[in-house]
Every structure is written in C-alpha cells, then in structure tokens.
C-alpha cells in the first residue's frame, strides 16, 4: 500500500504535523484510537490521507467528540485499497467490499443491498467548515478538473491554517 498520512493537531491555536503509520489499522476504531493517542492534548485532530494519485481522505476526530467525521474524495477508488475499506463502511452502509471493480467510469452495484458506490466524494464535506474550509471548497479539490491528489491535500491543510505544518513532514 502506497500512501502518505499525517496527523495535524492544533494546540492553543498552533498546528503541528506528524507522520502516521496506518499499516496495522484494520478498522475505523483502530484508526481513531491511533489518531487520538497521537493527538494527545490537542484541541483539534485532523488526519490527512493521500493514496498515490487516486484519492485522498480527511478524518476529523477531536478529543472528547464521540463520532469521527470522515470525507473521501473518490469512494470507488478508495474501496480498492485496504485503507479506503477502513474509512468507507462508515460512509456507505452495507457495502460489499469484495464486489468492487477497477472501472472508475461506472457505478458499482452491490446486488444484494443495491448500494451504489460511484467515483465521487463520500462523507461529511462540512467536517472542516469551522476551521475555514467550506464543503464547496473541499468538493472543488476533487475530480478530473481539480488538482492532483497531493496538491488537494496541501490545499486542505492551507485552508485550515496548517499548510506550514504539513510541509514540515512532506
């Protein structure tokens, strides 16, 4: 699995960034536990995941908040990778993760539950709105006309005020 993952943690208004190893993460609960442990005493914790040039994900799990908020730039591409499989079941209920194809142009249908997984964003586009990144701005970073995945991740960090922190770990 080729990915880049960094945890952005804001403490007293200042962002820091740390690389995160997600190789042993098998579930969203494992991921959240790893993020919260690394975020320690942070006010805000945002995990940015970039998988090659195919898709990116944003996970927000602030300390003291029970439910994480997740956004994935391309649900169909993410389902083809173990890390995407960790993020997406929370976003698309009853997805059959074994029933995916490599064709990004067509929607995937799980015949048993009639769940459609398209090559489109999935999740909570407003997860960073209070930090300065509107859902519309986040969605504008996605798609064929948008910037490359690494540029999109950098733009997410810049928009929330953590651009310098992200660049320190790239």
């Amino acid at each position: 699995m080729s990915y880049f993952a960094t945890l952005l943690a804001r403490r007293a208004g200042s962002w820091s960034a740390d690389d995160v190893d997600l190789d042993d993460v098998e579930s969203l609960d494992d991921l959240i536990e790893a993020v919260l442990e690394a975020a320690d005493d942070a006010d805000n914790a945002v995990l940015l995941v970039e998988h090659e040039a195919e898709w990116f994900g944003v996970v927000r799990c602030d300390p003291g908040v029970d439910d994480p908020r997740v956004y994935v730039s391309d649900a169909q591409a993410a389902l083809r990778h173990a890390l995407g499989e960790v993020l997406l079941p929370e976003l698309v209920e009853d997805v059959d993760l074994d029933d995916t194809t490599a064709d990004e142009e067509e929607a995937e249908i799980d015949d048993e539950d009639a769940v459609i997984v398209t090559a489109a964003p999935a999740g909570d586009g407003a997860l960073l709105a209070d930090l300065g990144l509107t859902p519309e701005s986040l969605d504008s970073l996605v798609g064929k006309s948008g910037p490359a995945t690494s540029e999109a991740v950098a733009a997410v960090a810049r928009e929330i005020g953590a651009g310098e922190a992200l660049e320190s770990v790239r």
Side-chain angles (χ1 to χ4, degrees):
M1 171 181 357
S2 178
Y3 67 88
F4 169 77
T6 189
L7 172 66
L8 301 175
R10 187 169 74 163
R11 295 172 181 88
S14 180
W15 288 97
S16 64
D18 291 302
D19 285 331
V20 179
D21 180 4
L22 303 176
D23 288 342
D24 295 329
V25 169
E26 295 180 6
S27 70
L28 188 58
D29 288 339
D30 291 346
L31 181 81
I32 300 310
E33 183 177 322
V35 168
L36 291 176
E37 183 177 307
D40 195 20
D41 61 345
D43 299 320
N44 302 108
V46 176
L47 178 71
L48 299 177
V49 177
E50 172 186 325
H51 192 281
E52 297 171 350
E54 295 182 31
W55 60 274
F56 69 89
V58 181
V59 180
R60 179 152 182 201
C61 46
D62 295 336
V65 177
D66 292 334
D67 294 323
R69 298 167 73 186
V70 180
Y71 179 90
V72 174
S73 66
D74 183 331
Q76 192 177 70
L79 277 177
R80 291 192 304 267
H81 305 282
L83 195 49
E85 290 178 3
V86 167
L87 298 175
L88 281 168
E90 295 295 316
L91 305 178
V92 183
E93 294 181 21
D94 301 321
V95 172
D96 180 355
L97 298 176
D98 294 326
D99 188 30
T100 59
T101 67
D103 186 1
E104 292 183 13
E105 297 302 318
E106 297 180 22
E108 299 174 17
I109 300 176
D110 174 348
D111 293 331
E112 183 178 319
D113 298 317
V115 173
I116 297 174
V117 180
T118 62
D124 183 355
L127 78 166
L128 301 173
D130 65 316
L131 299 175
L133 183 61
T134 66
E136 296 80 20
S137 294
L138 184 56
D139 284 342
S140 74
L141 299 173
V142 177
K144 291 180 173 70
S145 63
T149 304
S150 63
E151 293 172 12
V153 168
V156 168
R158 277 193 309 275
E159 288 294 318
I160 66 171
E164 287 183 25
L166 175 67
E167 289 307 313
S168 74
V169 295
R170 280 209 184 249

